[in-house]
């Protein structure tokens, strides 16, 4: 949807280059049937390419002034290109670069302390191999909080460099990353509240035989409502289990759904936001839900061109690993489209494809004549 207009130009350019060998072989052919076999398919494809823009659609081809507000940016596990994911440093970096919200993953320790961890085990993002080599395959929720506090959650980041486009960290940032520990949910929420940032998280149910296996949601709510002090409207509540109960004890949460559903069903459950992979939503879906005052958050959006597509499609926010690059992208166009890559008005697009078609037709005709 975002690159189709430019792919069209590229395809036409290839057809111009192919016109020379096609014309040469057609002229050298002895029989008219052979000439038709060579030239016929070529001209059919060329005609198809000339006319294909008539049926082409892109959300970023629109009238000037019709673009909605720029999507808010929610840091995916913080700023994982700048700091170890799900650590205090990672969320601080998101805040420094102007992120509007913080996304994370919550697990509950064996003694009932909710903490931030995406993976089932501690192997990838801590130094458990050095501290407890026999427990590397153990579920993270089966450790006590005292044990979890002993682990380093930052040295892996400097060693493994999880993103190829990370760039180099300053000496101060390297030292800070090396001293990160596993982050408690309560501390995370206090940080978000102090900076007026939205929070959204996946809440993982503890495994079998865990003391909080059946009270995981209650324990998490205790931390949010009683221990953290975060203002309820900052919480985008995503977990679907016991949603009615959660609404009854925390009516201020913004109820968020992780899957598409009928508008009527969403309104019945007081859903105000959808949190979906960008591949699952179209601009038509986004507009349909927006009419019912249900906003859309798309994840995980890292590239400027994909952010542009989300913006043009009407997304309210995106979850990203790259808040630092999407917050202030290079200004490519004037006025309200200054941060949208590849934005065009219908008039600009029509001029582009008509000139491309006419220029290529002239060149191809000259090559055949020559």
């Amino acid at each position: 949807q975002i690159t189709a207009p430019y792919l069209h130009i590229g395809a036409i350019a290839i057809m111009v280059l192919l016109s020379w060998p096609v014309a040469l072989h057609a002229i050298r052919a002895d029989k008219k049937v052979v000439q038709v076999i060579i030239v016929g398919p070529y001209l059919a494809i060329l005609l198809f390419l000339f006319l294909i823009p008539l049926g082409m659609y892109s959300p970023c081809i629109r009238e000037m002034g019709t673009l909605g507000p720029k999507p808010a940016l929610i840091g995916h596990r913080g700023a994982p290109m700048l700091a170890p994911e799900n650590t205090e440093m990672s969320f601080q970096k998101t805040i420094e670069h102007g992120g509007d919200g913080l996304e994370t993953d919550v697990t509950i320790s064996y003694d009932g302390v909710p903490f931030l961890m995406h993976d089932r085990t501690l192997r990838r993002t801590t130094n458990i191999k050095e501290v407890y080599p026999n427990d590397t395959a153990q579920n993270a929720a089966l450790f006590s909080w005292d044990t979890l506090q002993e682990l380093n959650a930052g040295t892996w980041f400097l060693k493994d460099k999880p993103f190829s486009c990370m760039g180099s960290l300053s000496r101060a940032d390297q030292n800070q990353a090396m001293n990160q520990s596993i982050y408690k949910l309560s501390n995370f929420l206090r940080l978000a509240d102090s900076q007026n940032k939205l929070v959204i998280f996946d809440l993982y149910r503890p495994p079998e035989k865990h003391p909080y296996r059946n009270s995981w949601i209650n324990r998490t709510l205790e931390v949010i409502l009683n221990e953290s002090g975060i203002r309820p409207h900052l919480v985008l509540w995503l977990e679907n289990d016991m949603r009615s109960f959660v609404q009854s004890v925390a009516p201020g949460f913004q109820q968020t759904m992780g899957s598409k559903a009928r508008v009527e069903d969403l309104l019945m459950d007081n859903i105000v936001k959808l949190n979906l992979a960008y591949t699952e939503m179209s601009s038509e879906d986004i507009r349909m839900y927006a009419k019912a005052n249900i906003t859309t958050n798309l994840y995980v959006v890292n590239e400027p061109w994909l952010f542009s597509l989300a913006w043009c499609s009407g997304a309210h926010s995106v979850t990203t690993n790259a808040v630092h690059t999407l917050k202030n992208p290079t200004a490519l166009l004037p006025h309200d489209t200054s941060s949208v890559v590849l934005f065009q008005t219908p008039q600009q697009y029509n001029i582009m494809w008509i000139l491309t078609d006419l220029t290529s037709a002239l060149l191809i005709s000259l090559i055949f004549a020559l």
Side-chain angles (χ1 to χ4, degrees):
Q1 290 182 31
I2 201 82
T3 59
Y6 304 91
L7 292 175
H8 170 248
I9 293 177
I12 293 290
I14 291 171
M15 294 301 286
V16 171
L17 294 175
L18 287 176
S19 64
W20 184 270
V22 169
L24 198 62
H25 282 82
I27 294 300
R28 289 178 175 176
D30 296 330
K31 299 179 180 179
K32 282 206 180 250
V33 175
V34 177
Q35 291 178 332
V36 170
I37 291 173
I38 294 172
V39 177
Y42 174 82
L43 292 178
I45 294 171
L46 187 63
L47 181 63
F48 172 74
L49 290 174
F50 280 168
L51 298 178
I52 199 172
L54 293 173
M56 194 178 292
Y57 167 75
S58 171
C60 284
I61 298 175
R62 59 195 303 150
E63 293 292 349
M64 200 62 90
T66 62
L67 194 64
K70 183 178 178 180
L73 299 175
I74 298 176
H76 184 231
R77 307 176 205 166
M81 292 184 180
L82 304 177
E85 67 179 57
N86 280 333
T87 62
E88 182 178 11
M89 179 184 178
S90 188
F91 299 113
Q92 289 282 12
K93 287 292 183 184
T94 304
I95 294 165
E96 285 176 25
H97 287 278
D100 304 286
L102 307 172
E103 185 274 348
T104 188
D105 314 274
V106 178
T107 300
I108 299 178
S109 70
Y110 197 77
D111 50 350
V113 178
F115 65 97
L116 310 189
M117 182 61 57
H118 172 267
D119 296 4
R120 187 183 67 83
T121 72
L122 303 167
R123 185 184 307 151
R124 181 177 64 89
T125 58
T126 74
N127 64 338
I128 192 167
K129 283 183 283 189
E130 288 78 35
V131 182
Y132 297 106
N134 296 326
D135 295 327
T136 55
Q138 182 87 288
N139 191 298
L142 297 179
F143 291 87
S144 69
W145 177 243
D146 286 343
T147 302
L148 293 168
Q149 281 186 297
E150 296 176 30
L151 303 176
N152 183 293
T155 52
W156 71 274
F157 178 76
L158 300 175
K159 182 176 64 176
D160 298 342
K161 295 186 176 179
F163 295 91
S164 58
C165 53
M166 281 172 51
S168 57
L169 299 181
S170 68
R171 176 61 63 183
D173 281 349
Q174 289 182 40
N175 290 336
Q176 187 179 1
M178 289 177 64
N179 290 290
Q180 293 302 297
S181 56
I182 294 174
Y183 208 30
K184 284 173 71 172
L185 174 63
S186 57
N187 292 337
F188 165 76
L189 296 174
R190 290 189 193 103
L191 174 65
D193 184 67
S194 69
Q195 301 296 322
N196 199 35
K197 302 299 181 186
L198 295 169
V199 297
I200 183 170
F201 51 83
D202 286 312
L203 178 57
Y204 299 147
R205 187 178 186 184
E208 296 285 349
K209 299 182 180 178
H210 190 284
Y212 291 86
R213 168 73 176 176
N214 297 317
S215 57
W216 54 306
I217 290 178
N218 304 69
R219 177 64 189 125
T220 305
L221 288 172
E222 283 179 16
V223 171
I224 297 173
L225 299 174
N226 302 328
E227 299 176 25
S228 73
I230 189 171
R231 287 161 287 172
H233 74 275
L234 295 175
V235 178
L236 305 178
W237 183 265
L238 186 58
E239 178 55 49
N240 204 40
D241 281 5
M242 297 174 60
R243 190 179 289 276
S244 298
F245 169 73
V246 173
Q247 290 186 46
S248 68
V249 298
F253 288 178
Q254 296 190 52
Q255 294 297 322
T256 305
M257 180 73 80
S259 59
K260 288 197 288 188
R262 294 190 314 144
V263 171
E264 296 80 8
D265 295 337
L266 295 174
L267 293 175
M268 192 179 300
D269 289 335
N270 298 313
I271 303 298
V272 297
K273 184 180 284 290
L274 292 175
N275 181 58
L276 299 165
Y278 65 84
T279 53
E280 296 181 25
M281 287 291 275
S282 66
S283 54
E284 291 83 3
D285 289 335
I286 293 172
R287 283 196 299 269
M288 176 187 70
Y289 288 119
K291 286 180 181 177
N293 293 321
I294 299 171
T295 59
T296 303
N297 180 69
L298 302 179
Y299 64 86
V300 173
V301 175
N302 297 328
E303 300 81 5
W305 66 265
L306 188 54
F307 179 66
S308 296
L309 181 58
W311 188 350
C312 293
S313 298
H316 181 264
S317 59
V318 300
T319 300
T320 178
N321 294 316
V323 168
H324 59 298
T325 59
L326 297 186
K327 189 65 180 180
N328 297 300
T330 304
L332 298 179
L333 295 161
H335 193 46
D336 63 340
T337 58
S338 60
S339 300
V340 182
V341 182
L342 308 180
F343 177 93
Q344 293 180 73
T345 65
Q347 292 79 9
Q348 290 170 333
Y349 176 57
N350 289 338
I351 291 170
M352 183 180 79
W353 78 264
I354 290 171
L355 283 178
T356 299
D357 285 1
L358 291 176
T359 303
S360 60
L362 178 61
L363 288 173
I364 290 169
S365 299
L366 289 174
I367 289 170
F368 270 83
L370 183 63

